[in-house]
Amino acid sequence: MGEGPEQAAEVGEQLALVRAAGRRSAAPRARPRTWRDAERAERLPVARVLVDKGLVHLDRLFDYAVPAAMDAEARPGVRVRVRFGAGQREGRREGGRLINGFIVERREETDFPGVLAPLAQVLSTEPVLTPALLRLCRSVADRYAGALADVVALAVPPRMARAERRPSPEPQDPPAPPDPGGWARYPHGPGFLDALSRGEAPRAVWTALPGPGWADELARALATSLAAGRGALAVLPDGRAAARVDAALTALTGGGAHVLLTADAGREERYRRWLAVSRGAVRCVVGTRAAMFAPVHGLGLAAIWDDGDAAHRDEHAPQPHAREVLVLRAAQERAAVLLGGHGVTVEAAQLVETGWAGPLAAARETVRETAPVIRTVVEDDQRRDEAARYARLPTVAWQALRDGLAHGPVLVQVPRRGYAPRLACDRCRTPARCADCHGPLAAEGALELLGCGWCGRRAPEWHCDACGSPRLRAVVIGARRTAEELGRAFPAVPVRTSGRDHVLDTVPDAPALVVSTPGAEPVPAGPGYAAALLLDGWALLGRPDLRAGEEALRRWLNAAALVRPQPQGGTVVVLAEPTLRPVQSLVRWDPAGHARRELADRASLGFPPVSRMAAVSGPPDAVAGLLGAARLPPDAEVLGPVRLPVPDPGRPRRTGDPPAGEQWDRALVRVPPGQGAALAAALKTARAARLARRESAGARVLIDPSDIG
DNA sequence: TCACCTGCCCGC
DNA sequence: CGGGCAGGTGAA
């Protein structure tokens, strides 16, 4: 009798059992003939296992028998290997592939009517999937119509055996409570910290004053929660921002009280830090979006900075957003929430509007003292202005540059490539929207083929809602070369660039032209940039995206926040139509007001986040099939489907993009407030049923799509 | 009567 | 996903 693969696996499992029991030599007693004959644990002989496979229709737990030898190690939360999948040999079930999973619970009984297969191996004794983390993952999976196993894969980092062997540092005593520092600049700032130190759970939307103070203020909030004997967590959009809060917190506490969880650290180091948090040795985490799941013990404060930044949405299924995850966590763990940024998202404004969070903003007078002066210049001035035609710049912009360069570095914000143009009124530039569903209009080739990007309805007789003009224009893009020419216009001044591939961290406090794409602006040493020139107005506002205005304002504010305050001569020039709402909000430095007005508009037009949306995309038959099968909530409204445009070949393929050469449709499903959970559940159920029956290559479901035109 | 195929459904 | 198994089908 030859030793087939199944016999080899069986022997392997027995060896694993022997190893798990801590014996190095052969088993002393008669070896059980198969696993089925091995002794079971006496107490709680059933392990409920979350199988580590993202198949949506398998989004449930499976029971396995716990062999006696694994009894001590097979605790809830540990990683295990189990046999999974069909397999019958000679009438006995013993096949199936070995896959990884987590023990979720030990039980006395099982509901499964058949014979339980045994656990094959306990991979690690580290209880990584704690009850609190499991509960969070389950809520996130429900919220996003995703599979629990997919969310757990985001929340629990891959195992690094060496990191597990090393002990975590001894827990430190809580630091002394910090003084309010910059929070004294906000009328309700000290009160927020007081509530934190009393162990309460205040929730605030924080409109941070311009300038560099925010990182220190965020660190003080974290340290206050630590001082109150609770944990704290801050999620930042990128490693640079996280490093600034890390430095501020280290200066405040001496370090050791927190860990930095970013992609910069290697996988093993990252897991080592994560373990220190999971074990309760460290109770404060500063990190990028994956840190949103960090299993901080006794979480007292969950903070997020600049929640409008697209980096806060995870790109892996089911693509949860850090703000939403932290909001869920805060409710489950009774933690305080701090949603901070120079801008305010519509989602944050909604949390204030519903009373879930309170506003935390400085007085008007304080804002005026700390913000630079903002000037607007319209595009058309460029052609008229003779003096500055060399650099194709309006006089105002030219003067601001020249004056700024006499006093320090000047920031020039230029757009990134790759924004798809959208259509707007030729006269007043109000974005063109569908009369029926308010989706964005797009032209397929000629303008006669005008149609809605959401519902597909044609709009041959379009007239501007705002001014009545029948003429459209494609919003044009491109100011990059202007920045390049600036260097030639100021030959005596060094030009430094910062962008996607090469991000400059800081620049010295000396005259220089600093050309940067949004989000890559170097932090100036000293009092800040003397001036900033924001050249990407039309590119940002012209993006075919519901959030274009909000996003333009967010990027402008982030750049302008690096400029010296008005009393020190700081000036910002923005090339954009001064009557547009985001431009006016920038001039007045009123991001909260902008978000409130956007929220009111979205409510009246039935846009998210007031209504909840889901995008269903995939091959046309899959999209139609899923929508037909889903038992959607009664008030659900299906927009589309429409054919998705073929993505730019240059752009890296993202989740939700059709594969090369394939035609995909996308439909949007919209439900009124309060039906978001029902919508997610309906789509998840329908998708699971169809995947199980393999009726088609599955359609993708994305909750809260952000690029919906 | 048997070998093979296709579709369906399940996995502990 | 991957494999069993039921029920159908066709050739000897």
Side-chain angles (χ1 to χ4, degrees):
Chain A
M1 181 168 76
E3 196 178 68
E6 50 291 347
Q7 283 94 337
E10 191 172 291
V11 169
E13 282 163 10
Q14 285 169 1
L15 288 175
L17 168 61
V18 168
R19 270 200 300 277
R23 303 187 201 113
R24 301 206 135 262
S25 53
R29 297 200 300 125
R31 195 185 277 184
R33 269 186 56 249
T34 72
W35 264 100
R36 216 146 304 290
D37 303 323
E39 273 178 61
R40 301 290 156 81
E42 269 179 43
R43 254 175 11 92
L44 303 170
V46 176
R48 308 215 87 188
V49 173
L50 171 67
V51 164
D52 191 8
K53 261 190 150 204
L55 304 171
V56 182
H57 65 289
L58 286 183
D59 200 15
R60 57 197 171 113
L61 303 175
F62 292 85
D63 286 352
Y64 284 82
V66 180
M70 295 185 196
D71 183 28
E73 296 188 331
R75 287 182 299 163
V78 302
R79 300 181 215 249
V80 290
R81 282 175 85 70
V82 292
R83 290 211 167 272
F84 186 81
Q88 281 203 358
R89 304 266 146 69
E90 293 139 31
R92 305 162 52 145
R93 303 190 140 267
E94 45 184 60
R97 297 153 57 88
L98 278 171
I99 60 165
N100 293 349
F102 298 87
I103 296 184
V104 157
E105 189 188 358
R106 289 279 298 267
R107 304 182 131 200
E108 208 58 61
E109 305 280 345
T110 176
D111 303 331
F112 185 64
V115 181
L116 294 189
L119 296 173
Q121 191 189 346
V122 175
L123 273 176
S124 152
T125 57
E126 195 79 37
V128 285
L129 187 58
T130 54
L133 189 53
L134 175 67
R135 187 159 73 121
L136 174 64
C137 291
R138 195 158 258 160
S139 322
V140 171
D142 291 345
R143 166 79 170 69
Y144 285 96
L148 177 61
D150 283 346
V151 180
V152 169
L154 301 180
V156 180
R159 175 168 184 254
M160 299 280 137
R162 207 164 356 159
E164 280 184 359
R165 281 196 294 272
R166 291 172 58 181
S168 294
E170 285 298 307
Q172 285 195 344
D173 289 335
D179 66 71
W183 285 112
R185 304 185 294 165
Y186 303 82
H188 297 298
F192 182 80
L193 295 191
D194 284 347
L196 279 182
S197 49
R198 287 194 300 269
E200 295 169 10
R203 299 186 287 246
V205 170
W206 168 35
T207 312
L209 285 165
W214 65 269
D216 181 66
E217 285 145 25
L218 191 46
R220 277 171 205 272
L222 298 171
T224 304
S225 186
L226 278 178
R230 306 185 70 183
L233 164 64
V235 179
L236 296 112
D238 55 54
R240 285 203 312 157
R244 295 181 68 191
V245 176
D246 175 46
L249 193 53
T250 302
L252 214 52
T253 65
H258 73 280
V259 289
L260 180 63
L261 285 183
T262 61
D264 299 342
R267 279 153 48 110
E268 187 180 326
E269 174 61 16
R270 197 179 155 83
Y271 186 50
R272 200 179 62 75
R273 294 179 189 176
W274 188 89
L275 279 177
V277 176
S278 176
R279 291 166 174 172
V282 173
R283 296 186 64 185
C284 180
V285 172
V286 173
T288 43
R289 65 168 179 248
M292 63 187 163
F293 290 107
V296 174
H297 286 213
L299 188 70
L301 170 65
I304 181 169
W305 174 254
D306 201 9
D307 66 297
D309 193 310
H312 281 305
R313 179 187 275 269
D314 203 297
E315 59 214 326
H316 299 105
Q319 301 182 243
H321 192 287
R323 177 192 52 242
E324 305 304 318
V325 172
L326 293 188
V327 163
L328 282 171
R329 275 191 89 156
Q332 292 186 349
E333 304 176 44
R334 288 195 199 85
V337 171
L338 186 57
L339 293 172
H342 292 303
V344 177
T345 58
V346 177
E347 285 81 359
Q350 191 183 29
L351 293 175
V352 173
E353 167 95 3
T354 60
W356 192 86
L360 186 41
R364 214 49 250 164
E365 193 183 328
T366 317
V367 174
R368 271 197 298 273
E369 284 165 8
T370 49
V373 70
I374 315 279
R375 301 227 167 89
T376 62
V377 181
V378 290
E379 204 177 17
D380 288 346
D381 290 358
Q382 291 179 48
R383 285 180 221 121
R384 285 203 294 270
D385 197 293
E386 290 297 314
R389 70 175 187 281
Y390 185 29
R392 300 184 300 174
L393 275 184
T395 321
V396 174
W398 182 265
Q399 281 172 351
L401 269 182
R402 208 182 43 207
D403 294 353
L405 284 171
H407 296 102
V410 171
L411 176 68
V412 182
Q413 189 187 50
V414 298
R416 276 207 297 253
R417 270 185 235 266
Y419 295 130
R422 65 138 60 144
L423 298 174
C425 170
D426 185 47
R427 193 192 300 166
C428 74
R429 290 181 184 156
T430 300
R433 291 204 168 271
C434 173
D436 200 44
C437 77
H438 305 290
L441 293 193
E444 292 162 32
L447 286 188
E448 301 83 67
L449 294 172
L450 201 58
C452 173
W454 285 3
C455 68
R457 173 179 291 242
R458 300 272 173 221
E461 296 291 303
W462 180 86
H463 282 267
C464 175
D465 277 349
C467 75
S469 164
R471 285 209 308 279
L472 283 164
R473 59 181 269 164
V475 176
V476 279
I477 294 166
R480 175 174 290 262
R481 211 193 308 157
T482 310
E484 288 166 8
E485 289 172 4
L486 284 175
R488 269 176 263 143
F490 293 95
V493 177
V495 179
R496 327 193 57 168
T497 60
S498 180
R500 218 175 150 73
D501 321 326
H502 177 67
V503 176
L504 271 183
D505 209 37
T506 57
V507 288
D509 184 28
L513 273 168
V514 181
V515 179
S516 171
T517 55
E521 296 89 355
V523 178
Y529 291 108
L533 187 52
L534 310 178
L535 294 180
D536 55 355
W538 286 116
L540 285 175
L541 291 174
R543 291 169 67 218
D545 191 319
L546 182 62
R547 305 168 158 276
E550 185 189 348
E551 177 65 3
L553 178 59
R554 188 185 71 80
R555 293 178 179 197
W556 287 335
L557 288 166
N558 280 343
L562 300 171
V563 178
R564 297 172 193 182
Q566 181 171 353
Q568 295 173 46
T571 304
V572 172
V573 174
V574 54
L575 257 75
E577 175 61 48
T579 57
L580 291 175
R581 178 186 287 169
V583 183
Q584 291 189 343
S585 301
L586 176 70
V587 171
R588 290 202 308 274
W589 205 283
D590 183 21
H594 182 270
R596 269 198 310 275
R597 285 184 289 274
E598 277 289 306
L599 179 66
D601 280 6
R602 304 250 188 112
S604 66
L605 295 173
F607 285 166
V610 180
S611 62
R612 182 71 64 81
M613 270 201 188
V616 178
S617 58
D621 56 332
V623 172
L626 179 61
L627 289 172
R631 299 177 53 122
L632 296 172
D635 299 325
E637 187 186 354
V638 178
L639 306 170
V642 294
R643 188 59 44 88
L644 276 182
V646 180
D648 260 351
R651 190 163 62 86
R653 191 170 165 252
R654 295 201 318 248
T655 331
D657 285 351
E662 222 175 278
Q663 297 270 324
W664 270 23
D665 275 4
R666 183 182 72 178
L668 295 170
V669 188
R670 171 157 75 178
V671 292
Q675 294 186 13
L679 173 64
L683 290 173
K684 180 171 172 172
T685 306
R687 196 167 112 85
R690 292 178 64 75
L691 275 180
R693 276 180 284 125
R694 265 204 241 175
E695 283 183 16
S696 56
R700 293 166 183 277
V701 172
L702 178 62
I703 304 292
D704 302 338
S706 49
D707 59 337
I708 53 175

